[in-house]
Amino acid sequence: MKKRNKVLLTSVLAGALMLTSVAPAGFAHDAFEGINKEDRAPFDHDALEMLGDPEENGDKNLKFLHEAAAEQIKEIDGVQNNTADVYAHKGFAYLGTHTANGANGGVRIFDLKDPENPKEIGQIAHDVPHTWQEKVIVKRVNTPEFNGDLAVVSLQQTSRNNSSRPDSIGGALLYDVSDPYNPERLGFYELDRRITGTHELYLTTQGNKALMLVSNPYADFYTSGEERDFQIIDVSDPANPEKLWEFDPRTLAEVDESFNGYHWDAPDGHTRPVFNHSVITDNNGHYAYVSMWDLGTVIFDIRDPENAEYLGRTEFADDQKGAAHSAALARGGNILIETREVANPHGEGYESAYGYTRIFDIKDKSNPVLLSEFKTDLTYDFSDPVISFAKTVHDPKVRGNTLYLSYYSGGVISVDITDPSNPQEIGRYTPDQGNVWGVFVDRNYVLASDMGQGLKVLLKNNSQPNSSNNQRMKN
């Protein structure tokens, strides 16, 4: 197939967590070093038509993985937003949005009845001014107060605690999406305006109880300990969210009582950044896996959510930047995948490397055992002098023995983890000028959210794709 002409759009910079208010001096995390998440201006539909074909390589169960659809999100009132994370539930995709062109893009809902022709059918969570809506989780919930499909959406201020924006506030919105064509807002878990908002979140159930777990980066620091970064919220009645418990890192023996909510004087001699970036649970809602940056992935028993119990955490080598960003589980919850988002590959006293993936045996959750580290050709590629997020790993998802990693400019990288101590790359999908934020596996397809290009649908079917249904498939 003849390659289409390429078009390069001007890049703009948006903060990784949109910390647009003045940050304290001396912070070690990339977001405070002036390293921003490169946020390529969204491609309009004409520009998309000029992109080259994606690069597609696969082996084993992904031998025929191919792009079946690429759909940019709609302009609304003349504004083209860009995308953040992606989730799928019952044949519908839910696509969060980032901050381009003023944010407030909401969550876009796509009907995937025909995965090769996704249809954008609605928008939710866009009505709180000056906010962006990155993360969405949808699950079936059955409680005395609510029976249906519940969506929880993270909400972050584009300008924290801005006095000229009194109606802007962060937290989490809750929606009934039992009928995705007619979603209904149910509730709002509001945070103190001093906190940027909820960056990521998760939804789980315990019997007839529904729990939302929220990650509010820097909440501890910004409120001087009045609020915590990791909180467990009862959303059994989605109209009335209720905080049950929150984690104070000072309760750990290795964290001094003088901890200021961010700077941690670690036993290895480094002053390390600690904050909650994301959280997941196992399928039963028994254990929470909380990505606490340089404190590692912290594991809690949450079977009694009002009295969650600390079990253990992952640790880093003395010369290894931490940056525990996200987690996924494999082998019935006995294997933990930890991705590390390191955008600045250099630092005095640390190895030179972009962020990569670590795999742990957690059969004993009080003692995670490192089995392997998965790196790619991007990990040590310092040829581009611009420090950015383009070459670091981002989010992990697991289906069976296959690990799917979103990798920004690297697209989606697939890894065989049949032997977790020896992970092997078996597939790679890289859009032309790609910037892939999120990945999600559902049924026979893999969804990817490209920040500038919208929704990508990759089919896994084990037969040669029909080129007439996939005009951009490489020959």
Side-chain angles (χ1 to χ4, degrees), residues 207-257:
N208 65 353
K209 179 181 293 185
L211 300 176
M212 179 174 68
L213 297 87
V214 295
S215 299
N216 312 318
Y218 323 112
D220 194 323
F221 179 85
Y222 283 140
T223 67
S224 300
E226 293 177 27
E227 298 284 344
R228 308 296 184 193
D229 287 23
F230 171 52
Q231 301 175 342
I232 300 176
I233 315 299
D234 188 335
V235 292
S236 303
D237 178 2
N240 295 288
E242 178 186 1
K243 182 167 67 176
L244 299 180
W245 185 84
E246 54 188 348
F247 170 53
D248 181 357
R250 300 164 188 82
T251 59
L252 303 185
E254 58 269 43
V255 180
D256 191 83
E257 187 65 30

Side-chain angles (χ1 to χ4, degrees), residues 55-312:
E55 295 183 9
E56 298 165 335
N57 300 290
D59 195 8
K60 297 187 176 180
N61 60 309
L62 298 180
K63 184 176 181 180
F64 300 111
L65 184 73
H66 65 280
E67 179 189 284
E71 189 72 23
Q72 178 61 289
I73 59 175
K74 293 178 180 177
E75 289 187 8
I76 295 181
D77 296 328
V79 175
Q80 181 66 69
N81 295 115
N82 61 345
T83 67
D85 205 16
V86 62
Y87 196 89
H89 181 73
K90 293 184 177 178
F92 291 86
Y94 296 81
L95 198 62
T97 56
H98 208 263
T99 56
N101 296 323
N104 279 101
V107 170
R108 307 301 178 85
I109 306 175
F110 285 82
D111 188 330
L112 296 177
K113 184 181 302 180
D114 178 1
E116 297 186 40
N117 294 285
K119 304 296 184 184
E120 184 176 337
I121 63 168
Q123 178 190 34
I124 59 174
H126 55 287
D127 54 349
V128 179
H130 309 295
T131 60
W132 56 293
Q133 303 77 30
E134 173 201 336
K135 191 83 172 181
V136 56
I137 304 292
V138 186
K139 290 186 182 291
R140 180 71 180 179
V141 167
N142 187 358
T143 73
E145 296 83 8
F146 178 78
N147 183 8
D149 295 321
L150 183 64
V152 295
V153 181
S154 67
L155 202 67
Q156 295 165 93
Q157 301 176 73
T158 56
S159 180
R160 182 183 68 87
N161 205 25
N162 189 325
S163 60
S164 66
R165 298 177 173 181
D167 296 330
S168 177
I169 191 168
L173 290 165
L174 299 95
Y175 282 81
D176 181 351
V177 292
S178 303
D179 177 3
Y181 280 85
N182 295 285
E184 177 186 356
R185 177 168 157 175
L186 301 175
F188 185 9
Y189 178 67
E190 299 185 19
L191 291 172
D192 187 309
R193 290 192 70 246
R194 291 174 292 174
I195 304 168
T196 304
T198 295
H199 186 60
E200 296 202 14
L201 76 181
Y202 203 72
L203 179 65
T204 192
T205 58
Q206 294 179 341
N208 65 353
K209 179 181 293 185
L211 300 176
M212 179 174 68
L213 297 87
V214 295
S215 299
N216 312 318
Y218 323 112
D220 194 323
F221 179 85
Y222 283 140
T223 67
S224 300
E226 293 177 27
E227 298 284 344
R228 308 296 184 193
D229 287 23
F230 171 52
Q231 301 175 342
I232 300 176
I233 315 299
D234 188 335
V235 292
S236 303
D237 178 2
N240 295 288
E242 178 186 1
K243 182 167 67 176
L244 299 180
W245 185 84
E246 54 188 348
F247 170 53
D248 181 357
R250 300 164 188 82
T251 59
L252 303 185
E254 58 269 43
V255 180
D256 191 83
E257 187 65 30
S258 63
F259 173 62
N260 70 353
Y262 181 90
H263 298 98
W264 173 41
D265 294 326
D268 62 10
H270 292 294
T271 297
R272 290 179 172 269
V274 169
F275 59 92
N276 180 207
H277 180 274
S278 63
V279 58
I280 63 166
T281 73
D282 64 316
N283 290 335
N284 298 317
H286 290 173
Y287 301 99
Y289 300 85
V290 183
S291 301
M292 291 291 297
W293 220 249
D294 278 30
L295 197 60
T297 303
V298 185
I299 306 173
F300 296 93
D301 183 333
I302 61 168
R303 285 175 286 188
D304 178 0
E306 295 184 68
N307 298 282
E309 179 185 355
Y310 167 76
L311 298 178

Side-chain angles (χ1 to χ4, degrees), residues 215-473:
S215 299
N216 312 318
Y218 323 112
D220 194 323
F221 179 85
Y222 283 140
T223 67
S224 300
E226 293 177 27
E227 298 284 344
R228 308 296 184 193
D229 287 23
F230 171 52
Q231 301 175 342
I232 300 176
I233 315 299
D234 188 335
V235 292
S236 303
D237 178 2
N240 295 288
E242 178 186 1
K243 182 167 67 176
L244 299 180
W245 185 84
E246 54 188 348
F247 170 53
D248 181 357
R250 300 164 188 82
T251 59
L252 303 185
E254 58 269 43
V255 180
D256 191 83
E257 187 65 30
S258 63
F259 173 62
N260 70 353
Y262 181 90
H263 298 98
W264 173 41
D265 294 326
D268 62 10
H270 292 294
T271 297
R272 290 179 172 269
V274 169
F275 59 92
N276 180 207
H277 180 274
S278 63
V279 58
I280 63 166
T281 73
D282 64 316
N283 290 335
N284 298 317
H286 290 173
Y287 301 99
Y289 300 85
V290 183
S291 301
M292 291 291 297
W293 220 249
D294 278 30
L295 197 60
T297 303
V298 185
I299 306 173
F300 296 93
D301 183 333
I302 61 168
R303 285 175 286 188
D304 178 0
E306 295 184 68
N307 298 282
E309 179 185 355
Y310 167 76
L311 298 178
R313 66 182 182 88
T314 64
E315 298 184 24
F316 303 99
D318 292 356
D319 69 341
Q320 194 172 42
K321 288 188 177 183
H325 175 277
S326 299
L329 299 173
R331 300 288 182 86
N334 290 318
I335 296 294
L336 173 71
I337 314 295
E338 176 187 85
T339 54
R340 303 169 47 253
E341 187 183 56
V342 178
N344 183 352
H346 309 297
E348 186 177 352
Y350 293 103
E351 65 175 345
S352 289
Y354 286 103
Y356 51 85
T357 303
R358 304 197 300 167
I359 301 177
F360 292 85
D361 182 328
I362 55 167
K363 287 190 290 290
D364 178 0
K365 292 176 175 49
S366 67
N367 182 35
V369 175
L370 180 65
L371 296 177
S372 61
E373 295 177 331
F374 175 74
K375 303 172 184 179
T376 74
D377 53 303
L378 299 171
T379 304
Y380 300 111
D381 180 2
F382 312 132
S383 59
D384 185 345
V386 177
I387 304 296
S388 77
F389 287 81
K391 297 174 184 177
T392 180
V393 69
H394 195 218
D395 285 344
K397 297 293 187 297
V398 174
R399 176 62 60 92
N401 287 321
T402 306
L403 166 64
Y404 299 85
L405 300 168
S406 58
Y407 236 99
Y408 293 112
S409 66
V412 176
I413 296 178
S414 306
V415 186
D416 184 348
I417 55 170
T418 302
D419 178 1
S421 65
N422 185 31
Q424 299 291 322
E425 180 174 332
I426 57 171
R428 189 176 297 204
Y429 161 79
T430 309
D432 182 27
Q433 301 184 51
N435 195 9
V436 173
W437 176 288
V439 61
F440 194 87
V441 189
D442 187 40
R443 305 182 187 187
N444 190 44
Y445 49 78
V446 178
L447 301 178
S449 53
D450 187 295
M451 293 186 74
Q453 301 176 30
L455 178 66
K456 310 288 188 176
V457 182
L458 315 178
L459 288 184
K460 299 191 296 179
N461 57 295
N462 294 321
S463 62
Q464 185 63 35
N466 185 341
S467 59
S468 65
N469 292 330
N470 181 23
Q471 296 181 3
R472 294 177 61 190
M473 175 66 185

